Structure formats: C-alpha cells, structure tokens
Coordinates of all heavy atoms in Angstrom, one line a residue:
M1 N 54.7 -17.1 -304.5 CA 54.3 -18.2 -305.3 C 53.0 -18.8 -304.7 O 53.0 -19.0 -303.5 CB 55.4 -19.3 -305.3 CG 55.0 -20.5 -306.1 SD 56.1 -21.9 -306.0 CE 57.3 -21.3 -307.2
T2 N 52.2 -19.2 -305.5 CA 50.9 -19.8 -305.0 C 50.7 -21.1 -305.7 O 51.2 -21.3 -306.9 CB 49.6 -18.9 -305.3 OG1 49.5 -18.7 -306.6 CG2 49.8 -17.6 -304.5
V3 N 50.0 -22.0 -305.1 CA 49.6 -23.3 -305.7 C 48.1 -23.4 -305.5 O 47.6 -23.4 -304.4 CB 50.3 -24.5 -304.9 CG1 49.8 -25.8 -305.5 CG2 51.9 -24.3 -305.1
N4 N 47.4 -23.5 -306.6 CA 45.9 -23.5 -306.6 C 45.3 -22.4 -305.8 O 44.4 -22.6 -305.0 CB 45.4 -24.9 -306.1 CG 45.8 -26.0 -306.9 OD1 46.0 -25.9 -308.2 ND2 46.1 -27.2 -306.3
G5 N 45.9 -21.2 -305.9 CA 45.4 -20.0 -305.2 C 45.8 -19.9 -303.7 O 45.4 -19.0 -303.0
H6 N 46.6 -20.9 -303.2 CA 47.1 -20.8 -301.8 C 48.6 -20.6 -301.8 O 49.2 -21.0 -302.7 CB 46.7 -22.1 -301.1 CG 45.3 -22.5 -301.1 ND1 44.4 -21.9 -300.1 CD2 44.5 -23.3 -301.7 CE1 43.2 -22.3 -300.3 NE2 43.2 -23.1 -301.3
P7 N 49.0 -19.9 -300.7 CA 50.5 -19.7 -300.7 C 51.3 -21.0 -300.6 O 50.8 -22.0 -300.0 CB 50.7 -19.0 -299.4 CG 49.4 -18.4 -299.0 CD 48.4 -19.3 -299.6
A8 N 52.3 -21.1 -301.4 CA 53.1 -22.3 -301.4 C 53.9 -22.5 -300.1 O 54.4 -21.5 -299.6 CB 54.1 -22.3 -302.6
E9 N 53.9 -23.7 -299.6 CA 54.8 -24.0 -298.5 C 56.2 -23.9 -298.9 O 56.6 -24.6 -299.8 CB 54.4 -25.4 -298.0 CG 55.1 -25.7 -296.7 CD 54.6 -27.1 -296.1 OE1 53.6 -27.0 -295.4 OE2 55.3 -28.1 -296.4
L10 N 57.0 -23.1 -298.1 CA 58.4 -22.9 -298.5 C 59.3 -24.0 -297.8 O 60.3 -24.3 -298.4 CB 58.9 -21.5 -298.0 CG 58.1 -20.4 -298.6 CD1 58.6 -19.1 -298.1 CD2 58.3 -20.4 -300.1
W11 N 59.0 -24.4 -296.7 CA 59.8 -25.4 -296.0 C 59.0 -26.1 -294.9 O 58.1 -25.5 -294.3 CB 61.0 -24.7 -295.3 CG 62.0 -25.5 -294.6 CD1 62.9 -26.4 -295.1 CD2 62.0 -25.7 -293.2 NE1 63.6 -27.0 -294.1 CE2 63.1 -26.6 -292.9 CE3 61.3 -25.2 -292.1 CZ2 63.5 -27.0 -291.7 CZ3 61.7 -25.5 -290.8 CH2 62.7 -26.5 -290.6
R12 N 59.3 -27.4 -294.7 CA 58.8 -28.1 -293.6 C 59.8 -28.8 -292.9 O 60.7 -29.4 -293.4 CB 57.8 -29.2 -294.1 CG 57.1 -30.0 -293.1 CD 56.1 -31.0 -293.6 NE 55.0 -30.4 -294.3 CZ 53.8 -30.1 -293.8 NH1 53.6 -30.5 -292.7 NH2 52.9 -29.6 -294.6
H13 N 59.8 -28.7 -291.5 CA 60.8 -29.3 -290.7 C 60.7 -30.8 -290.9 O 59.7 -31.4 -290.8 CB 60.6 -28.9 -289.2 CG 61.7 -29.3 -288.3 ND1 62.0 -30.6 -287.9 CD2 62.6 -28.5 -287.7 CE1 63.0 -30.5 -287.1 NE2 63.4 -29.3 -286.9
P14 N 61.9 -31.5 -291.0 CA 61.8 -33.0 -291.2 C 61.3 -33.8 -290.0 O 60.8 -34.9 -290.2 CB 63.3 -33.3 -291.5 CG 64.1 -32.2 -291.0 CD 63.2 -31.0 -291.0
D15 N 61.4 -33.2 -288.8 CA 60.9 -33.9 -287.6 C 60.2 -32.9 -286.7 O 60.8 -32.5 -285.6 CB 62.0 -34.6 -286.9 CG 61.6 -35.4 -285.7 OD1 60.4 -35.7 -285.6 OD2 62.5 -35.7 -284.9
P16 N 59.1 -32.4 -287.0 CA 58.5 -31.3 -286.2 C 58.3 -31.7 -284.8 O 58.3 -30.8 -283.9 CB 57.1 -31.0 -286.9 CG 57.0 -32.0 -288.0 CD 58.3 -32.8 -288.1
Q17 N 58.0 -33.0 -284.4 CA 57.8 -33.3 -283.0 C 59.1 -33.1 -282.2 O 59.0 -33.2 -280.9 CB 57.4 -34.8 -282.9 CG 56.0 -35.0 -283.4 CD 55.9 -35.1 -284.9 OE1 56.9 -35.1 -285.7 NE2 54.6 -35.1 -285.4
S18 N 60.2 -32.9 -282.8 CA 61.5 -32.7 -282.1 C 61.7 -31.2 -281.7 O 62.7 -30.9 -281.1 CB 62.6 -33.2 -282.8 OG 63.0 -32.4 -284.0
T19 N 60.8 -30.3 -282.1 CA 61.1 -28.9 -281.9 C 60.5 -28.3 -280.6 O 59.6 -28.9 -280.0 CB 60.5 -28.1 -283.1 OG1 59.0 -28.3 -283.0 CG2 61.0 -28.6 -284.4
S20 N 61.1 -27.3 -280.2 CA 60.5 -26.5 -279.0 C 59.1 -26.1 -279.2 O 58.2 -26.0 -278.3 CB 61.4 -25.4 -278.6 OG 62.7 -25.7 -278.3
M21 N 58.8 -25.7 -280.4 CA 57.4 -25.2 -280.8 C 56.4 -26.4 -280.5 O 55.3 -26.2 -280.0 CB 57.3 -24.8 -282.2 CG 55.9 -24.3 -282.6 SD 55.3 -22.9 -281.7 CE 56.2 -21.6 -282.5
F22 N 56.8 -27.6 -281.0 CA 55.9 -28.7 -280.8 C 55.8 -29.0 -279.3 O 54.7 -29.4 -278.8 CB 56.5 -30.0 -281.5 CG 55.4 -31.2 -281.4 CD1 54.4 -31.2 -282.3 CD2 55.6 -32.1 -280.4 CE1 53.5 -32.3 -282.2 CE2 54.7 -33.2 -280.3 CZ 53.6 -33.2 -281.2
A23 N 56.9 -28.9 -278.5 CA 56.8 -29.2 -277.1 C 55.9 -28.2 -276.4 O 55.1 -28.5 -275.5 CB 58.2 -29.1 -276.5
F24 N 55.9 -26.9 -276.9 CA 55.0 -25.9 -276.4 C 53.6 -26.2 -276.7 O 52.7 -26.1 -275.9 CB 55.4 -24.5 -276.8 CG 54.5 -23.4 -276.4 CD1 54.4 -23.0 -275.1 CD2 53.6 -22.8 -277.2 CE1 53.5 -22.1 -274.6 CE2 52.8 -21.7 -276.8 CZ 52.7 -21.4 -275.5
L25 N 53.3 -26.6 -277.9 CA 52.0 -26.9 -278.4 C 51.4 -28.1 -277.6 O 50.3 -28.0 -277.1 CB 52.0 -27.3 -279.9 CG 50.7 -27.6 -280.6 CD1 50.8 -27.3 -282.1 CD2 50.3 -29.0 -280.4
D26 N 52.3 -29.1 -277.4 CA 51.9 -30.2 -276.6 C 51.6 -29.8 -275.1 O 50.6 -30.3 -274.6 CB 53.0 -31.3 -276.6 CG 52.5 -32.6 -276.2 OD1 51.5 -33.1 -276.7 OD2 53.3 -33.3 -275.4
H27 N 52.4 -29.0 -274.6 CA 52.1 -28.4 -273.3 C 50.8 -27.8 -273.2 O 50.0 -28.1 -272.2 CB 53.2 -27.5 -272.8 CG 52.9 -26.6 -271.6 ND1 52.9 -27.1 -270.3 CD2 52.5 -25.4 -271.6 CE1 52.6 -26.2 -269.5 NE2 52.3 -25.1 -270.2
V28 N 50.5 -26.9 -274.1 CA 49.3 -26.1 -274.1 C 48.1 -27.1 -274.4 O 47.0 -27.0 -273.7 CB 49.2 -25.0 -275.2 CG1 47.9 -24.5 -275.4 CG2 50.2 -23.9 -274.8
R29 N 48.3 -28.0 -275.3 CA 47.2 -29.0 -275.6 C 46.8 -29.8 -274.3 O 45.6 -29.9 -274.0 CB 47.6 -29.8 -276.7 CG 46.6 -31.0 -277.0 CD 47.1 -31.9 -278.1 NE 48.5 -32.3 -278.1 CZ 49.2 -32.4 -279.0 NH1 48.8 -32.2 -280.3 NH2 50.5 -32.8 -279.0
N30 N 47.8 -30.2 -273.6 CA 47.5 -31.1 -272.4 C 47.0 -30.2 -271.3 O 46.0 -30.6 -270.6 CB 48.8 -31.7 -271.9 CG 49.2 -32.8 -273.0 OD1 48.3 -33.5 -273.5 ND2 50.4 -33.0 -273.1
K31 N 47.5 -29.0 -271.0 CA 47.1 -28.2 -269.9 C 45.6 -27.8 -270.1 O 44.8 -27.7 -269.2 CB 48.0 -27.0 -269.8 CG 47.5 -26.1 -268.6 CD 48.5 -25.1 -268.3 CE 48.0 -24.3 -267.0 NZ 49.0 -23.3 -266.6
Y32 N 45.3 -27.3 -271.4 CA 43.9 -26.8 -271.6 C 43.0 -27.8 -272.2 O 41.9 -27.5 -272.6 CB 44.0 -25.6 -272.5 CG 44.7 -24.4 -271.7 CD1 46.1 -24.3 -271.8 CD2 44.0 -23.6 -270.8 CE1 46.7 -23.2 -271.1 CE2 44.6 -22.6 -270.1 CZ 46.0 -22.4 -270.2 OH 46.7 -21.5 -269.6
Q33 N 43.4 -29.1 -272.4 CA 42.6 -30.1 -273.0 C 42.1 -29.8 -274.3 O 40.9 -29.8 -274.6 CB 41.5 -30.6 -272.0 CG 42.1 -31.1 -270.7 CD 41.0 -31.4 -269.6 OE1 39.9 -30.9 -269.7 NE2 41.4 -32.2 -268.7
L34 N 43.0 -29.3 -275.2 CA 42.6 -28.9 -276.5 C 42.9 -30.0 -277.6 O 43.7 -30.9 -277.4 CB 43.4 -27.7 -276.9 CG 43.3 -26.4 -275.9 CD1 44.4 -25.4 -276.3 CD2 42.0 -25.9 -276.0
E35 N 42.1 -29.8 -278.6 CA 42.3 -30.8 -279.7 C 43.0 -30.0 -280.9 O 42.4 -29.8 -281.9 CB 41.0 -31.3 -280.2 CG 40.4 -32.2 -279.2 CD 39.1 -33.0 -279.7 OE1 38.9 -33.1 -280.8 OE2 38.3 -33.3 -278.8
I36 N 44.3 -29.6 -280.7 CA 45.1 -29.0 -281.7 C 46.3 -29.8 -281.9 O 46.8 -30.4 -281.0 CB 45.4 -27.5 -281.3 CG1 46.2 -27.5 -280.0 CG2 44.2 -26.6 -281.3 CD1 46.7 -26.1 -279.6
D37 N 46.7 -29.8 -283.2 CA 47.9 -30.6 -283.5 C 48.8 -30.0 -284.4 O 49.7 -30.7 -285.0 CB 47.5 -32.0 -283.9 CG 46.7 -32.0 -285.3 OD1 46.4 -30.8 -285.7 OD2 46.3 -33.0 -285.8
D38 N 48.7 -28.7 -284.6 CA 49.6 -28.0 -285.6 C 49.7 -26.5 -285.3 O 48.9 -26.0 -284.4 CB 49.1 -28.3 -287.0 CG 47.8 -27.8 -287.3 OD1 47.1 -27.2 -286.5 OD2 47.2 -28.2 -288.4
Y39 N 50.6 -25.9 -286.0 CA 50.8 -24.5 -285.7 C 49.5 -23.7 -285.9 O 49.2 -22.8 -285.2 CB 51.9 -24.0 -286.6 CG 52.2 -22.5 -286.3 CD1 53.0 -22.0 -285.3 CD2 51.7 -21.6 -287.3 CE1 53.1 -20.7 -285.0 CE2 51.9 -20.2 -287.1 CZ 52.5 -19.8 -286.0 OH 52.8 -18.4 -285.7
P40 N 48.8 -23.9 -287.1 CA 47.6 -23.0 -287.3 C 46.6 -23.2 -286.2 O 46.0 -22.3 -285.8 CB 47.0 -23.6 -288.6 CG 48.3 -24.1 -289.3 CD 49.1 -24.7 -288.3
G41 N 46.5 -24.4 -285.6 CA 45.6 -24.6 -284.5 C 46.1 -23.8 -283.2 O 45.3 -23.2 -282.5
L42 N 47.4 -23.9 -283.0 CA 47.9 -23.0 -281.8 C 47.8 -21.6 -282.1 O 47.4 -20.9 -281.2 CB 49.4 -23.4 -281.6 CG 50.2 -22.7 -280.5 CD1 49.6 -23.0 -279.2 CD2 51.6 -23.0 -280.5
Y43 N 48.0 -21.2 -283.3 CA 47.8 -19.7 -283.6 C 46.4 -19.3 -283.4 O 46.1 -18.2 -282.8 CB 48.2 -19.5 -285.1 CG 47.9 -18.1 -285.5 CD1 48.7 -17.0 -285.1 CD2 46.7 -17.8 -286.3 CE1 48.4 -15.7 -285.5 CE2 46.5 -16.5 -286.7 CZ 47.2 -15.5 -286.2 OH 47.0 -14.2 -286.6
Q44 N 45.4 -20.1 -283.8 CA 44.0 -19.7 -283.7 C 43.7 -19.7 -282.2 O 43.0 -18.8 -281.7 CB 43.1 -20.8 -284.4 CG 41.6 -20.4 -284.3 CD 40.7 -21.4 -284.9 OE1 41.2 -22.3 -285.6 NE2 39.4 -21.0 -284.9
W45 N 44.2 -20.6 -281.4 CA 43.9 -20.6 -280.0 C 44.6 -19.4 -279.3 O 43.9 -18.7 -278.4 CB 44.5 -21.9 -279.3 CG 44.2 -21.9 -277.8 CD1 43.1 -22.3 -277.2 CD2 45.2 -21.5 -276.8 NE1 43.2 -22.1 -275.8 CE2 44.5 -21.7 -275.6 CE3 46.5 -21.2 -276.8 CZ2 45.2 -21.5 -274.4 CZ3 47.1 -20.9 -275.6 CH2 46.4 -21.0 -274.4
S46 N 45.7 -19.0 -279.8 CA 46.5 -17.9 -279.2 C 45.7 -16.6 -279.4 O 45.7 -15.7 -278.6 CB 47.9 -17.8 -279.7 OG 47.9 -17.3 -281.1
T47 N 45.1 -16.5 -280.6 CA 44.3 -15.2 -281.0 C 43.0 -15.2 -280.2 O 42.5 -14.0 -279.9 CB 44.1 -15.1 -282.4 OG1 43.3 -16.2 -282.9 CG2 45.4 -15.0 -283.2
Q48 N 42.5 -16.3 -279.8 CA 41.2 -16.3 -279.1 C 41.4 -16.3 -277.6 O 40.5 -16.0 -276.8 CB 40.5 -17.6 -279.4 CG 40.0 -17.6 -280.9 CD 39.4 -19.0 -281.3 OE1 39.6 -20.0 -280.7 NE2 38.8 -19.0 -282.5
N49 N 42.6 -16.6 -277.1 CA 43.0 -16.6 -275.7 C 44.3 -16.0 -275.4 O 45.3 -16.6 -275.0 CB 43.0 -18.1 -275.3 CG 41.8 -18.8 -275.5 OD1 40.8 -18.8 -274.7 ND2 41.7 -19.5 -276.6
P50 N 44.5 -14.7 -275.8 CA 45.8 -14.1 -275.7 C 46.4 -14.0 -274.3 O 47.6 -14.3 -274.1 CB 45.6 -12.6 -276.1 CG 44.1 -12.4 -276.1 CD 43.5 -13.7 -276.2
S51 N 45.6 -13.9 -273.2 CA 46.1 -13.9 -271.8 C 46.6 -15.2 -271.5 O 47.7 -15.3 -270.9 CB 44.9 -13.5 -270.9 OG 45.4 -12.9 -269.8
E52 N 45.9 -16.3 -271.8 CA 46.4 -17.6 -271.5 C 47.7 -17.9 -272.3 O 48.6 -18.5 -271.8 CB 45.4 -18.7 -271.7 CG 44.2 -18.6 -270.7 CD 43.2 -17.6 -271.1 OE1 43.3 -16.9 -272.1 OE2 42.1 -17.6 -270.4
F53 N 47.6 -17.6 -273.6 CA 48.7 -17.9 -274.4 C 50.0 -17.2 -273.9 O 51.1 -17.9 -273.8 CB 48.5 -17.4 -275.9 CG 49.6 -17.5 -276.8 CD1 50.0 -18.8 -277.3 CD2 50.4 -16.5 -277.1 CE1 51.1 -18.9 -278.2 CE2 51.5 -16.6 -278.0 CZ 51.9 -17.8 -278.5
W54 N 50.0 -15.9 -273.8 CA 51.2 -15.2 -273.3 C 51.6 -15.6 -271.9 O 52.8 -15.7 -271.6 CB 51.0 -13.7 -273.5 CG 51.1 -13.3 -274.9 CD1 50.0 -12.9 -275.7 CD2 52.2 -13.5 -275.8 NE1 50.4 -12.7 -277.0 CE2 51.7 -13.1 -277.1 CE3 53.5 -13.9 -275.7 CZ2 52.5 -13.1 -278.2 CZ3 54.3 -13.8 -276.8 CH2 53.8 -13.5 -278.0
G55 N 50.8 -16.0 -271.0 CA 51.1 -16.5 -269.7 C 51.9 -17.8 -269.9 O 52.8 -18.1 -269.2
E56 N 51.4 -18.6 -270.7 CA 52.1 -19.9 -271.0 C 53.4 -19.7 -271.7 O 54.4 -20.4 -271.3 CB 51.2 -20.9 -271.9 CG 49.9 -21.4 -271.2 CD 50.3 -22.0 -269.9 OE1 51.3 -22.7 -269.7 OE2 49.4 -21.9 -268.9
V57 N 53.5 -18.8 -272.6 CA 54.8 -18.4 -273.2 C 55.8 -18.0 -272.1 O 57.0 -18.5 -272.1 CB 54.7 -17.3 -274.3 CG1 56.1 -16.8 -274.7 CG2 53.9 -17.9 -275.5
W58 N 55.4 -17.2 -271.2 CA 56.2 -16.6 -270.2 C 56.8 -17.7 -269.3 O 57.9 -17.8 -269.1 CB 55.4 -15.7 -269.3 CG 56.0 -15.0 -268.1 CD1 56.3 -15.7 -266.9 CD2 56.5 -13.7 -268.0 NE1 56.9 -14.8 -266.1 CE2 57.1 -13.6 -266.7 CE3 56.6 -12.7 -268.9 CZ2 57.6 -12.4 -266.3 CZ3 57.1 -11.4 -268.5 CH2 57.6 -11.4 -267.1
R59 N 55.9 -18.7 -268.9 CA 56.3 -19.8 -268.0 C 57.1 -20.8 -268.8 O 58.2 -21.3 -268.3 CB 55.1 -20.4 -267.3 CG 54.5 -19.6 -266.3 CD 53.3 -20.3 -265.5 NE 52.2 -20.4 -266.4 CZ 51.2 -19.3 -266.6 NH1 51.5 -18.2 -265.9 NH2 50.2 -19.5 -267.3
F60 N 56.6 -21.2 -270.0 CA 57.4 -22.2 -270.8 C 58.7 -21.8 -271.2 O 59.7 -22.6 -271.1 CB 56.6 -22.5 -272.0 CG 57.1 -23.7 -272.8 CD1 56.7 -25.0 -272.5 CD2 57.9 -23.5 -273.9 CE1 57.1 -26.1 -273.2 CE2 58.4 -24.6 -274.6 CZ 58.1 -25.8 -274.3
C61 N 58.9 -20.5 -271.5 CA 60.3 -20.1 -271.9 C 61.2 -19.7 -270.7 O 62.3 -19.4 -270.9 CB 60.1 -18.8 -272.8 SG 59.3 -19.2 -274.4
G62 N 60.6 -19.8 -269.5 CA 61.4 -19.4 -268.3 C 61.8 -18.0 -268.2 O 63.0 -17.7 -267.8
I63 N 61.0 -17.2 -268.7 CA 61.3 -15.7 -268.6 C 61.6 -15.3 -267.1 O 60.8 -15.6 -266.3 CB 60.3 -14.8 -269.2 CG1 60.2 -15.2 -270.7 CG2 60.5 -13.3 -269.0 CD1 59.0 -14.5 -271.4
K64 N 62.7 -14.6 -266.9 CA 63.0 -14.1 -265.5 C 62.9 -12.6 -265.6 O 63.3 -11.9 -266.5 CB 64.5 -14.5 -265.2 CG 64.7 -16.0 -265.2 CD 65.9 -16.4 -264.5 CE 66.2 -17.9 -264.6 NZ 65.2 -18.9 -264.6
A65 N 62.3 -12.1 -264.5 CA 62.0 -10.7 -264.4 C 62.2 -10.4 -262.9 O 62.2 -11.2 -262.0 CB 60.6 -10.3 -264.9
S66 N 62.3 -9.1 -262.6 CA 62.4 -8.6 -261.2 C 61.2 -9.0 -260.4 O 61.2 -9.0 -259.2 CB 62.7 -7.1 -261.2 OG 61.7 -6.4 -261.8
K67 N 60.0 -9.0 -261.0 CA 58.8 -9.5 -260.4 C 57.9 -10.1 -261.4 O 58.0 -9.8 -262.6 CB 58.2 -8.3 -259.7 CG 57.6 -7.3 -260.6 CD 56.9 -6.1 -259.8 CE 56.4 -5.1 -260.8 NZ 55.7 -4.1 -260.1
P68 N 57.0 -11.0 -261.0 CA 56.1 -11.6 -262.0 C 55.1 -10.7 -262.6 O 54.8 -9.6 -261.9 CB 55.3 -12.7 -261.1 CG 56.0 -12.6 -259.7 CD 56.9 -11.5 -259.6
Y69 N 54.7 -11.0 -263.8 CA 53.7 -10.1 -264.4 C 52.4 -10.2 -263.6 O 52.2 -11.1 -262.9 CB 53.5 -10.5 -265.8 CG 52.8 -11.8 -266.1 CD1 51.5 -11.9 -266.1 CD2 53.5 -13.0 -266.2 CE1 50.8 -13.2 -266.3 CE2 53.0 -14.2 -266.3 CZ 51.6 -14.3 -266.4 OH 50.9 -15.4 -266.5
S70 N 51.6 -9.1 -263.6 CA 50.3 -9.0 -263.0 C 49.2 -9.1 -263.9 O 48.1 -9.5 -263.5 CB 50.2 -7.9 -262.1 OG 50.4 -6.7 -262.9
Q71 N 49.5 -8.8 -265.2 CA 48.5 -8.8 -266.2 C 49.1 -9.0 -267.6 O 50.1 -8.4 -267.9 CB 47.6 -7.5 -266.2 CG 46.5 -7.4 -267.1 CD 45.7 -6.1 -267.0 OE1 46.1 -5.3 -266.1 NE2 44.7 -6.0 -267.8
V72 N 48.4 -9.8 -268.4 CA 48.9 -10.0 -269.7 C 48.1 -9.1 -270.7 O 46.9 -8.9 -270.5 CB 48.8 -11.5 -270.2 CG1 49.1 -11.6 -271.7 CG2 49.5 -12.4 -269.3

C-alpha cells in the first residue's frame, strides 16, 4: 500500500524512546556527536560507517565470544 507514492507506515511504537533501538541510537549519537534522531538517520550512518556501527552493536548488545573481534 502506498500513500502519495510512498510506502504506507504499517505501525509506530507508542513510546519509541522506551525501546532498546532508541537506547542504541542515543548511545551512538552521543558517542559520535551525531545529529540523528530516528531510525532512518541511524540506518544512513550505519551504511556510511559499517565498521563503527557493527563495533557498537557488538559492545552494546554484550556479545560474548572466545576472543574479541579483530576486524569488522
């Protein structure tokens, strides 16, 4: 379904600031001094900075491994 040629939004979280995704976005925004405030902004940053993004995901999610990663 589209609205005015754009995909229709299917669902919106009633309190997005309470989600883990928002906490991650806030963490990245503060650490890298970014001016992003939504998922599309985080997505764009992640595609332009994949190494930093996946390193932050690793740490933020508390991934445990037999040894730390050496390269993203």
Side-chain angles (χ1 to χ4, degrees):
M1 174 189 285
T2 62
V3 176
N4 297 327
H6 299 284
E9 184 174 275
L10 299 177
W11 179 78
R12 181 180 296 264
H13 193 285
D15 183 16
Q17 288 81 7
S18 70
T19 65
S20 296
M21 177 64 76
F22 186 84
F24 178 69
L25 185 153
D26 197 42
H27 165 76
V28 168
R29 175 180 43 219
N30 290 325
K31 181 171 182 177
Y32 294 93
Q33 299 174 339
L34 302 172
E35 293 185 25
I36 56 175
D37 59 358
D38 56 12
Y39 178 81
L42 179 62
Y43 173 77
Q44 183 177 1
W45 180 80
S46 75
T47 61
Q48 295 169 348
N49 304 276
S51 204
E52 290 85 353
F53 173 77
W54 287 110
E56 293 305 326
V57 168
W58 181 280
R59 287 183 287 278
F60 187 83
C61 293
I63 295 173
K64 298 194 185 329
S66 59
K67 63 180 183 174
Y69 67 90
S70 59
Q71 183 177 359
V72 175

